[in-house]
Structure formats: structure tokens, C-alpha cells
Amino acid sequence: MPRHLGDGRAIAARMRARANYRVTHGLTPGLTHGVTLAAAFALAACGGTLGSADSTTPWPANVSAASYLPDTGNVRPVKVVSVSGSVTGADSLLTGGAVTLKYVAGGAAPTVVLDYGHEVGGLPAFGIAAQSGSPTLSATFSESRTTAATGDVSAGLTVSVDPQRASLFPVSATGTLKSSAVQGGERYETLSLATPGEVTLNSVAIQSLYAAPASATSSTPATLGSFVSSSDTLNRIWTAGAYTVEMDRLVANALPLAWQVSAEGTTIGSSGTGIVQKSGGWPSDYAMAFDVRVNSNSAGWTMRDAGNLTSLRFVLHSASDTQGTPNTLELDAYSTFAGGAIKLGELPVAAGIATGTWHSVSTSLSGNTASVTLDGANLGTLDASGAASVLLTSYGSAGFFNLPASQATYRNLAITANGASLYANTLMAASALDDFSANTNALPLLIDGAKRDRTVWSGDIAVEAPTLFYTSAQNDAVAGSLRLLGSYRLANGEVSTTHSPQDPLISTSADAYGSSSFYSTQYSMYFVTALHDYYLYSGDATLLAQQWAAAQGELNYLQTQVDSNGLIAVDASNAQDWLPDFASPVTGEVASTNMLYYQVLTDAAELATAMGDASTSAIYVQRAAALKQAINSRLYNSAGGYYGMSAASMGAVAQDANALAVITGVAPQASAATVLASIAQKLANPFGRLAFSTDSGRTAVVSPFASDMEVRARMASGDTRGALNLIGTLWGTMVADGDNYTGTVWEALGTNGLPVSSQTSLAHGWSSGPTSALSRYVLGVRPVTAGFKQWLVKPQTGDLQWAVGTVPTPYGAIPVKWGRARNGVFRIDVTVPAGTTGTIALPAGGTVKVNGVATTASTSSALDSAGVVSDGTAYQYLNGVQPGSYSIVVGG
């Protein structure tokens, strides 16, 4: 939730009150007639209004730098959407009262749907004021109103996160009932009773995991970023991106321990799956033996688990299980991308499974057959061949999980194959948590989405990190993510691409850990680009030195993938990109992969120079030049004026490949406009741009991730109006009023402008690109040397009248205000922090006065060597600008 600088608790209360008022009156929370709440609070505090300039400035008189932070503490619902069954007092719950739900056997279950007004996340908590009978409280969570009743789909990739979006809480006493597992992102919460009884709730809340940046309470609050312009839509979009990344940022040790270890064993309630991490080289057929005590309802374990993406799941239902068939063993095929579990079969347990008693279990796999024994008795076999529909792998690890309202204790795990031990653990020591990635997150990190996947992905960080640099500047989350990714490296040098935030750092080769952290060749490259951007914005030479060996190893690995044509060629084993297509990925000489490789080589050359390694830098420069020539020779469709999707699909157009060609300079500058025009024509969609042309064979989707690349390509080539039009069309859809509004940005859109499915993340950091683009290009502030030691302020105004904002740097904030008066006079105010120098670019063709003194501007700048013209407007430059405050007028 956006928040103006000041006392966090007071502002949070004001924002909740404002949101409550606006929901009650049918308005979208988080928006004030199109103005961000942060901007509205800033203006209210200063007595200003957006929309008109005063006599001395071309921007509104009292625009204040506003910061965008999530609510902390208990976040409460602001509206009752609907009520059915026996529910009393629902509306009073919003103002401190109580709601009573009563369920009579044979009658209708009571149900109340609550609305938090915007995306929230954390640990669900319920105040139980009274209860009778044996009620079970059911809580269903959803980002979208359309799935509020059933819950949307969350991928259980993190142990501390509840993969179920429909949680069950048996109620046996008064007091606070709090979930032990995280619900990372939701706007809607549906409460009901799953078993007969009566419950009175005097509070319903989400206890946030998200901490406000330390600088929010420091003496220099201006170190936080902000952006406000003459476009209300752009202001909402900037805020949504900033808030999204804060929802996707974890401070160290934020995640609760979902597994509890004691001398009895490891006790697991409803949680995500924890699997043995060191499972590289395991055969497809192995046996898993352990002791288990079902404490409530059921116990669960998993085999052939491919990093929690696909697996075989076994559920042992006790005699008193209220959620499954009592005294049975169930086998499911599970797939993250197929939306959950598919039941394959079950076996009866004639002896029965009493809760509170220990049992020994052994499960063995042989091909598609699973054999299970319980307390030495053979239960029979189950056929797993039906798992083909979820693309179950023939390999994978083993571990434990549990279903809603279930709890079990496990001990004495032994995994064997052909009589040899693969892994053994008593599960009675805390060290077991790291073996299963079930500990808390030791590092501050950036995860991809609030509800899904809640994992660290290198490709997502490539977009999230710049957003963070321009907003809360909590750079430690980027540093922690890089440390985690760089810790896992294969012997061939490839750097990992995805991790649970609960994965521990390692100091040995990652080959022993299997392939689940190594998604694809393309994704492994993002480690280098993220390291480059982190160093550029932070100036942290220490982390660069620590991770330089990992970066060099990645570059060595990538060189081994280059074919005789001078291009990287991928096959089905390493060809996945940002659009998962496990059945038939684009293979061969893929354009986007090679464009990204070119960027990696140029970024690596700059990093090598920073490391004082001129010879290695020269090698990367040479490789980049050869690659550029090969791309233009093999992958450019000269007749169409664009780059083909791959050497084998030259007629198909990929948005990311062509945008990257412009961003990186692979496309000659004279061809940039042609390439971008081809994208606009061939990928046209009412809600932005298709990611792939209809003849590509790929899913028809509007991707904010790929579209961010096009936004940057248009900005970098001077098509500012085109970039702003794309931002307003695509991202404007996400921040518009409606049941899908979350105040955050979505993972993807269908061709109809709606979320693709209930699985789609509606708070996904890789979609936050406009936030950094607006600060970098429209406000105009960008680093030239590491840590903003040298900077360039070059506003690309498009059709905007004014913009005001602040960019945080390691040396202090750079506040900028610019605007164009009605008489055409351009004014820009800039404050330069101590220890830095830079260049201010101004519209060419007018006289220049600095603080009232006529000054001669230069026609060029070494800090803007490309000299890109924006929408036909050339620039003149004030070079060597020293620390201080400047008010600059051009014309008049």
C-alpha cells in the first residue's frame, strides 16, 4: 500500500480508513480519482492539488516526494462482499465488532466473503471470541473476485507457504488462531464452516511478513524513490510496480518454520513440500522408508519430485480423517503448472490407521508401479502411468508435505536403491531443516510472486532489481538473491536459476543437488545481467568480487554452447524460456537466447574492466562482436524487417527477441524503428502486444515481462511516446477498477485483457518494468558509473507536461522536477548529492539559464555518447555538474 513519509502506524491507519471509505462508496481502493494514495497524502499534507501549475513552476505547487511501502502489522478487510447461510454481524467485523457463523448439520454452510481492497499477504489470523460444537473454520484465499469462493492456484514451491488456497482450522478454544503457513498474496478471503458448530470471530487479519525499509524511519527519508507526473495512469502504474516488488521482497528470517523438530521427530502441519536437496544422480527406481505418526487427519510424502514442479504424492488417511477416505492410501500425480493434484488411485488399509500411534512405512518405485508396505504388511501396488498427463519425470527427489487440517510426525527416514543408501536422517535434529530446505530464509531476497511461485528466479530479478533500485532501494535483497544463485554452480560453470528462499548457501559443486535449480541455458544468463545492474546501481565492489568467479564460470559454460555458426544452440533439455513449454520448447538457434547472450557478453566485459581484468574484458568484447555478426547473418529476416523467432522459424516474430535486438544494439541504429514497427504490426492486440506472432506455435499471451523489453527498446531508441502508449494500454488495464484490481501488476494477460487463469499471479515482480523505466527515462535519472558516482539526468518527456520525483543513490537522493510551461519554456530543478558529478540534458534550441544566470550548453556529452533524440527532440548538455541545487530554464 503506498504510504507518505511519516509515522508508519498513523499513515497505515489513515490508508485503511481511506480504503474503507472508498470501497463503501464503490471506488477502487488505492486510487483517488486516478491519483495514487501516496501522492494524495503528500498533497494533502502540503495543501496542494494535482493538475495545475502555479505562476512560477510548470508543475503543481506542492507536489511532494512520496514513497511507496506496504502496510505492516495486522492488515484487516475493508469490505464484506457477500454473505450466505447463518451469518450475523458481518459488517460490524470491519469496525471492531464480531461476526458469528453457525452451521447446523444438514443445513447450508455459513459463508462470508471479505475484501482487503488490495493485495495483502502474510499469516492469516483469526480472533476466536466464542465457539461451540466441533466447528472447523474454512478460509479460502484469492487474488481475484472470480475465484474467491474456491480459491485460486498457488504453487507449493516453498515449505513455509501453504500450497492450498483453502485452509482448514479446527476450532476448539477461544483466543487467537493463526496459520503456521504463509498465504503470500490475496485480496479476497472467504470464511465458512466445514463441520457443524458455531464460531464467533472478533477479528480477521493478515499478519504481514513485510518490513518497511529502514530508511522509512531514518532522518533522510528522501533516500526513498518516488514518481508523480501529469498522467494519473502512469502514477498508478509506477505505484503498482513499486508495491509489487515490496510484496515480493523478504527481509532475512521473515519466513516462519513450518516444520518443528524435536526428539520425537519432525512434525509437519499443512505446508509446502520439503524434499531432500542432495538428490543428484538418484536412479528413477528407489525405496523410501520411515516411521510416521498421524496426529490429525493424514500424513503425506512425495517421490520423483522434480523440484516441486511435478511429483508422485502419497497420502495416508487415518481412521478419523475428515478430509479424505478414512483408512486408505491415496496416490496422486502433482503438477504445479497443471494446477495441482490428479488422483491416480487408492488402496484400503484393513488394519486401520489410528491417530497418535507410530507406524512404519516403506514405498518403492519400479517403473510405473508403486508398492507400499505398512508395519511389514504389503498393502498392494498402485499404477502411476496416469501421471503422463502432468509430464511426470522419471527422476526426482523424495520428501514430506501435509494437506489442510492435517499433521503428522516423521522419523528415521532411509532412502535406498538396490540395497545401497542414498540418504538417511533420523529427522530428530534441527540440521534436517537445511537438508529439506525447510529452514527460514537466511538472506534478504527477492521472490517472483506474492502467491506464486514465491521462489527466487534469476529472470524475474532482471526486472525486479531495477524497480527496487528506483523505489525502496533495499539493495540487500538483490545482493542476497545473487549470493544464493551464485552459491549453486555446476562443475561445468553453469549458475543456478531458481531457488526456494529457504535453500541454504553451499560451498561445494551443485552437481550433487540435481537439476531442479537449473532451469535452462537462457535463464542461467540472467545471473550476469543482474550482477551487472546491481554493481551499476549500488557500486558494491565487494559483492562483485565475491561473485566474479561465478560469473566467469557462467561465461565459460555459455561458450561451450556455441555452435559452428557462432550462435548458442539449445535442445529440449535446456531450451526453456520465460513462457514454460515443457512439451515442445523452441530449440536450435533461438533468437532471444542469442540476443540475451550478446547482452551478457557486453555486461561481462564491463564487469571485467571493473575487476581490473582488461584481457578478459577484451575476450568478451571480441566474442560479442562475433556473436552480433552471426545473429544479423543468421537470424535477421531482411524481407520482413525483423528478427525471426529462431533459425528454423524465421517467419515467426518474438517480442522479446526483437526488443532485445534494439536494446543491446545488435540491430543497427538505423534499423531500430523498422524492427519496432514490425513488432507493433505483427503483434498487435487491444491490450498491448502479443508476445509471439500467431504463426509461432506458441501460446497467445500478452506478457508484461516481454513487453517491458519493448518499453525499454522504445525508450532507448527515442520513441518515448510509443513507450508511454504501450505502458498506458497494457499496464493501465491492470490498475483499472474491477474485481481483478490488486494494486499490483500481473504476471500475464490473455488476449482478452484478463488474467490468463486462476493460476496467474496478480502480484508478479517481473511485470514491474514501467516503474524503473519511468524513473530512468521520463524523470530521466540514470547511473553512468558504478553507484551513481557519475550520472545522467535526461528527461524524455513524451507528451507529458511535467514530472516530479526522487531517485535514491548510495550518495543520497537525486530529486528532479521538470515541466513545460504554456509558453513553451522548459524548466528543470535538480539537486546533486555530494560526492557525485554528472550531466543534465536539456531540450536543444533555446537559451539556458542556471539559477538565473545565462549559461552556454554543449552540443554533446561523453556521458550520453549515444545522443539519442527523443520523439524528434534533440538535446543540449550541461556537463560536469557539481553537487548543489540547480533551477534551469530553457527558452523564454
Side-chain angles (χ1 to χ4, degrees), residues 793-805:
V793 174
K794 182 183 180 182
Q796 297 182 206
T797 60
D799 54 4
L800 297 175
Q801 294 301 305
W802 57 268
V804 173

Side-chain angles (χ1 to χ4, degrees), residues 201-235:
L201 303 171
N202 58 15
S203 68
V204 175
I206 299 293
Q207 295 185 353
S208 179
L209 301 176
Y210 311 103
S215 52
T217 56
S218 74
S219 60
T220 55
T223 55
L224 297 169
S226 63
F227 175 89
V228 185
S229 75
S230 56
S231 167
D232 295 341
T233 298
L234 295 182
N235 299 341

Side-chain angles (χ1 to χ4, degrees), residues 609-707:
T609 298
M611 289 295 299
D613 190 348
S615 60
T616 298
S617 179
I619 291 172
Y620 294 152
V621 169
Q622 184 180 30
R623 288 180 186 174
L627 176 63
K628 180 177 181 178
Q629 183 177 10
I631 291 173
N632 283 311
S633 174
R634 293 273 298 168
L635 297 175
Y636 185 65
N637 185 326
S638 56
Y642 57 85
Y643 291 84
M645 185 172 69
S646 71
S649 301
M650 289 297 293
V653 179
Q655 183 185 25
D656 56 354
N658 284 275
L660 283 171
V662 175
I663 293 169
T664 60
V666 166
Q669 189 170 359
S671 302
T674 300
V675 171
L676 293 173
S678 295
I679 294 178
Q681 177 188 0
K682 295 183 176 297
L683 304 178
N685 178 270
F687 301 98
R689 209 82 79 214
L690 296 176
F692 300 95
S693 57
T694 55
D695 58 352
S696 67
R698 308 212 73 186
T699 302
V701 64
V702 175
S703 169
F705 179 67
S707 293

